[in-house]
């Protein structure tokens, strides 16, 4: 028998499809309206002036995608100890965000065959349960905003040096970008032996913290803020708002930040690293992120224990 539908069946099917389509359309319409009501005040809050309507429409679509991601996270994510929000990056797609706001490339010549021992190795027993260098006067200056220059490594290194010299002088990351020759300036990279010519400090070199060892990292951070590289290429990292981040990031190092402490969350008992970022003080917890510490993987969450270094200062 030929597969032909009776006209009546056809009409019934069409009607059902029609009802379904109109419901879907109206739901989409309502959703869009609800999101427009979020997008407009968000634009005002973050001073967005899109150049034309086409751009606004494009940004709105991305904003909506990010909002869907957050809604899905809020509804479906289990065992997450952090929250997301429609933060300052909510109208950026992942790829453009990664390209613009991260910028760490693993140096081509790693410090292989180093002979100097890890200088804090002796202090294993003296490591405090928690430390927050922000509470030590002058050790951590205000959160900077790298804006759209992929020089997070410079902010990361400067953050660590500020902690080392501990006099509250805010060093300029631009100076580091300008003065260090063996990095890629604003396009990622890291300085191995550059000197920062500043009246306050001179970086004479870097000492690597033993890799893939969160205990060693803890010893280093107990002594001074430390510059670390992490994987920040995650939507949940971009939209992070608060709490102890335990998202599903990888370990490809894509961003550099400064570790300014560690501790245990009073909200849920999660152990965390305290990260100072360079995306302004209106991202995360006033510019900071708490990232889960002591995870099963030896690289640490987001690869935080893979490549850490603390500057030595003359
Ligand atoms: C939660 O997950 C289910 C299954 O993947 C999905 O159908 C649903 O849309 C999700 N909820 C939200 C609010 O996104
Ligand atoms: C959530 O955490 C509990 C307790 O740690 C664990 O038993 C459970 O397997 C976790 N669920 C998921 C989906 O990871
Ligand atoms: C490190 O030392 C090993 C053994 O001495 C040698 O084979 C290797 O080439 C060295 N690596 C570098 C980068 O110098
Ligand atoms: C640093 O500054 C000193 C004196 O201000 C100058 O003599 C020296 O050449 C500078 N070094 C670099 C690397 O710019």
């Amino acid at each position: 028998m030929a597969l032909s539908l009776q006209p009546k069946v056809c009409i019934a099917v069409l009607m059902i499809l029609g009802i379904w389509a109109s419901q879907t359309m109206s739901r989409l319409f309502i959703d869009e309206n609800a999101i427009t009501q979020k997008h407009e005040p968000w634009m005002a809050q973050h001073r967005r002036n899109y150049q034309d309507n086409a751009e606004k429409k494009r940004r709105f679509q991305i904003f909506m995608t990010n909002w869907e991601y957050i809604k899905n996270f809020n509804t479906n994510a289990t065992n997450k100890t952090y929250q997301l929000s429609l933060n300052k990056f909510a109208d950026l797609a992942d790829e453009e965000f990664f390209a613009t706001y991260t910028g760490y490339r693993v140096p081509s010549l790693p410090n292989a065959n180093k002979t100097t021992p890890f200088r804090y190795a002796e202090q294993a027993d003296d490591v405090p349960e928690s430390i927050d260098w922000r509470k030590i006067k002058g050790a951590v200056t205000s959160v900077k905003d790298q804006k759209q220059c992929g020089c997070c490594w410079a902010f990361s290194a400067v953050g660590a040096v500020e902690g080392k010299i501990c006099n509250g002088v805010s060093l300029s990351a631009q100076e580091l970008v300008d003065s260090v020759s063996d990095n890629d300036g604003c396009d990622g990279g890291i300085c191995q032996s550059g000197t920062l010519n500043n009246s306050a400090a001179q970086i004479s070199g870097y000492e690597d913290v033993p890799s893939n060892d969160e205990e060693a990292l803890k010893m280093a951070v107990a002594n001074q803020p430390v510059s670390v590289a992490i994987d920040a290429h995650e939507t949940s990292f971009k939209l992070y708002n608060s709490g102890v981040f335990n998202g599903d990031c990888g370990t490809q190092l894509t961003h550099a930040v400064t570790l300014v402490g560690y501790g245990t969350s009073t909200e849920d008992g999660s152990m965390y690293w305290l990260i100072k970022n360079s995306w302004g003080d209106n991202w995360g917890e006033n510019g900071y992120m708490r990232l889960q510490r002591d995870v099963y993987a030896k690289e640490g969450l987001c690869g935080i224990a893979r490549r850490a270094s603390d500057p030595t200062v003359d």
Side-chain angles (χ1 to χ4, degrees), residues 13-298:
V13 166
L14 283 176
M15 275 176 64
I16 290 165
L17 276 178
I19 291 165
W20 176 80
S22 75
Q23 278 177 350
T24 306
M25 290 299 284
S26 67
R27 208 184 63 230
L28 277 181
F29 185 68
I30 290 166
D31 276 4
E32 285 217 12
N33 257 346
I35 295 167
T36 302
Q37 279 173 21
K38 285 184 190 298
H39 190 220
E40 292 288 343
W42 180 92
M43 281 174 60
Q45 186 191 346
H46 296 283
R47 303 213 188 91
R48 290 292 204 277
N49 286 309
Y50 301 124
Q51 59 186 17
D52 53 30
N53 268 339
E55 175 67 1
K56 183 171 176 184
K57 209 168 163 181
R58 200 168 75 81
R59 291 291 154 199
F60 177 78
Q61 290 300 324
I62 298 171
F63 186 85
M64 200 153 73
T65 304
N66 281 323
W67 173 236
E68 292 295 331
Y69 181 92
I70 293 172
K71 254 190 352 191
N72 186 26
F73 176 91
N74 290 342
T75 314
N76 285 332
T78 49
N79 291 353
K80 294 297 184 218
T81 50
Y82 65 103
Q83 293 79 47
L84 302 178
S85 70
L86 285 170
N87 64 13
K88 65 197 275 190
F89 300 133
D91 69 344
L92 298 181
D94 282 356
E95 310 72 51
E96 65 180 328
F97 172 73
F98 300 153
T100 313
Y101 289 93
T102 63
Y104 176 82
R105 287 212 300 273
V106 178
S108 48
L109 289 171
N111 267 352
N113 296 348
K114 257 171 42 87
T115 49
T116 47
F118 178 48
R119 66 184 140 145
Y120 299 128
E122 303 294 304
Q123 304 170 11
D125 297 335
D126 301 332
V127 176
E129 277 303 298
S130 69
I131 189 160
D132 182 345
W133 283 98
R134 295 173 303 182
K135 293 183 178 150
I136 292 148
K137 198 168 180 302
V140 181
T141 55
S142 61
V143 170
K144 312 298 187 298
D145 194 340
Q146 71 181 63
K147 300 257 170 54
Q148 305 198 348
C149 160
C151 49
C152 52
W153 61 271
F155 289 90
S156 158
V158 161
V161 177
E162 285 170 348
K164 187 70 184 172
I165 58 179
C166 214
N167 63 0
V169 178
S170 198
L171 301 179
S172 142
Q174 189 57 48
E175 258 179 302
L176 197 54
V177 171
D178 292 343
S179 71
V180 175
S181 53
D182 60 352
N183 69 68
D184 306 320
C186 270
D187 194 21
I190 192 163
C191 49
Q192 306 255 24
S193 59
T195 54
L196 171 64
N197 223 354
N198 183 286
S199 52
Q202 186 99 7
I203 304 177
S204 55
Y206 281 87
E207 184 182 71
D208 288 339
V209 176
S211 316
N212 300 334
D213 183 347
E214 286 193 272
E215 271 309 302
L217 190 53
K218 189 176 167 189
M219 282 178 229
V221 178
N223 283 278
Q224 64 173 84
V226 169
S227 171
V228 293
I230 51 172
D231 182 12
H233 282 194
E234 268 300 313
T235 310
S236 52
F237 203 105
K238 175 182 80 175
L239 300 173
Y240 167 79
N241 183 63
S242 58
V244 177
F245 182 82
N246 62 344
D248 304 316
C249 42
T251 59
Q252 292 299 316
L253 305 177
T254 53
H255 188 49
V257 293
T258 316
L259 265 186
V260 297
Y262 58 83
T264 305
S265 152
T266 50
E267 298 119 52
D268 55 29
S270 319
M271 293 198 282
Y272 64 82
W273 293 112
L274 181 59
I275 282 175
K276 181 187 185 186
N277 205 346
S278 52
W279 293 341
D281 60 8
N282 55 353
W283 175 88
E285 298 183 323
N286 300 317
Y288 291 84
M289 171 191 253
R290 285 177 294 159
L291 183 134
Q292 194 179 24
R293 177 166 64 91
D294 270 356
V295 296
Y296 181 71
K298 65 183 185 344

